[in-house]
Amino acid sequence: MTYITKPRLHHPTLAKNKVGYTRRDYEGKISTLCAGCGHDSISAAIIQACWELDIQPHRVAKLSGIGCSSKTPDYFLGASHGFNTVHGRMPSVLTGANLANRELLYLGVSGDGDSASIGLGQFAHAMRRGVRMVYIVENNGVYGLTKGQFSATADRGSKSKKGVLNPDAPVDLIGMALQLGATYVGRGFSGDKAQLVPLIQGAIAHGGAAFIDVISPCVAFNNHAGSTRSYDHVREHNEAVSFIDFIDLAPELHAEPAPGEVIMLPQPDGSLMRLRRLHAGYDPTDRVSAMAQVQALQARGEVVTGLLYVDPQAGDMHVGLNTVAKPLNTLTEAELCPGTAALDKLNASLR
């Protein structure tokens, strides 16, 4: 299928969003992944989320590392900026790009091997620094490109396609993101588009470091009985803590739902996130409580999904560094070198 190209012309009756694009305009090349791969469903969810949010493709920068997951940016938003880094280094390259131009929307796509093994340190620092980005890990628990070895996120006791049991404890990227200071943390399932699309939309509108772990079964090496990353296992053990709706740039709502039923969270761009609690007492704005709830459910063997934590007042790296609002890559020499008087004033403030 790699030699087949998509037609450039679209049917004239296709619906367009507010900025004049059809959903097809947000697609990329034809996928070369295995038929049924969960990663393609994630690409479709990203396409749907961006189309519904009326995002102009040229305002998006998509970056990835190495692996099956890191191939997927080629399959969505073909008219956006893109950069494929080396193994595990996507977060640092994205951080540099974000520092240079804060006006772009940054999508970082990675995998469980790319982020939980060689890139674990890069993942950690991107989260703690609050880099404004949508960091999506397409998590299948195996190294698909090298024929199905366990990845660092594979659950202890899970069984490989060859029948080998995994003896190692898994790296919990959700727990790490919560502990390291990410201000938007969620988990989705590639087989549940109704949940995944608004989860991605909320992350795009968020004002800080947004991390989404997406369970994405590998149909070639990790979709068998005994795997904890198979379609059947995740469907049977999926435990959603919340149901999320995303309301783009919505006016203030005055309805008064029953106490504890619905939470309204305003976002930095004026949009609203509406959360319906599926677990009584679950508070997605309490980081410590969220960590405890997630650990308790995971200890029972449940795959916890939904919006797990959000800080509605989150800032980002630029707020912490107090950078100017103007993108750094547009500053002139005169602005970057304001002269001796300005340097003397700066030095005096540090004495």
Side-chain angles (χ1 to χ4, degrees), residues 158 184 278 340 350:
S158 59
Y184 183 105
L278 299 184
T340 303
L350 299 174

Side-chain angles (χ1 to χ4, degrees), residues 62-73 83-91 93 107-111 114-115 118 135-136 145:
K62 52 186 183 177
L63 293 91
S64 63
I66 296 295
C68 291
S69 59
S70 294
K71 294 172 61 178
T72 61
F83 194 98
N84 183 234
T85 73
V86 295
H87 205 183
R89 269 59 179 181
M90 176 274 291
V93 177
L107 294 178
V109 180
S110 184
D114 194 54
S115 281
I118 191 171
Y135 194 131
I136 296 176
L145 284 182

Side-chain angles (χ1 to χ4, degrees), residues 78-164:
S80 67
H81 307 282
F83 194 98
N84 183 234
T85 73
V86 295
H87 205 183
R89 269 59 179 181
M90 176 274 291
S92 58
V93 177
L94 188 150
T95 299
N98 184 289
L99 281 169
N101 188 356
R102 63 191 297 178
E103 293 187 345
L104 294 178
L105 166 64
Y106 290 94
L107 294 178
V109 180
S110 184
D112 40 308
D114 194 54
S115 281
S117 290
I118 191 171
L120 189 60
Q122 301 257 325
F123 162 77
H125 292 298
M127 294 296 99
R128 76 179 187 87
R129 287 174 178 145
V131 181
R132 184 171 184 178
M133 63 187 296
V134 181
Y135 194 131
I136 296 176
V137 168
E138 301 180 347
N139 188 348
N140 56 22
V142 297
Y143 292 109
L145 284 182
T146 54
K147 305 303 180 282
Q149 302 93 331
F150 290 118
S151 80
T153 65
D155 292 320
R156 176 179 282 160
S158 59
K159 185 182 295 185
S160 72
K161 190 174 182 179
K162 294 182 178 180
V164 178

Side-chain angles (χ1 to χ4, degrees), residues 17 21-27 47 50-51 55 76-77:
N17 59 14
Y21 292 98
T22 69
R23 187 185 179 283
R24 287 287 311 278
D25 292 318
Y26 292 85
E27 295 178 356
I47 290 168
C50 291
W51 181 65
I55 291 171
F76 60 82
L77 294 173

Side-chain angles (χ1 to χ4, degrees), residues 282-344:
Y282 185 81
D283 183 2
T285 63
D286 184 333
R287 186 186 297 271
V288 175
S289 175
M291 292 174 68
Q293 288 262 19
V294 169
Q295 290 292 329
L297 290 169
Q298 288 182 168
R300 299 208 303 260
E302 305 294 345
V303 180
V304 188
T305 62
L307 181 58
L308 307 176
Y309 173 75
V310 61
D311 179 358
Q313 307 300 324
D316 71 343
M317 176 177 58
H318 287 276
V319 174
L321 294 176
N322 195 28
T323 60
V324 296
K326 189 176 181 181
L328 299 184
N329 64 353
T330 64
L331 297 178
T332 64
E333 183 178 355
E335 292 170 308
L336 292 171
C337 302
T340 303
L343 179 60
D344 291 341

Side-chain angles (χ1 to χ4, degrees), residues 20-75:
Y21 292 98
T22 69
R23 187 185 179 283
R24 287 287 311 278
D25 292 318
Y26 292 85
E27 295 178 356
K29 296 178 182 177
I30 292 178
S31 173
T32 61
L33 298 174
C34 304
C37 178
H39 294 359
D40 284 332
S41 297
I42 300 172
S43 295
I46 294 172
I47 290 168
Q48 189 70 24
C50 291
W51 181 65
E52 291 182 1
L53 288 180
D54 306 310
I55 291 171
Q56 296 173 307
H58 68 272
R59 289 192 57 249
V60 178
K62 52 186 183 177
L63 293 91
S64 63
I66 296 295
C68 291
S69 59
S70 294
K71 294 172 61 178
T72 61
D74 204 27
Y75 311 142

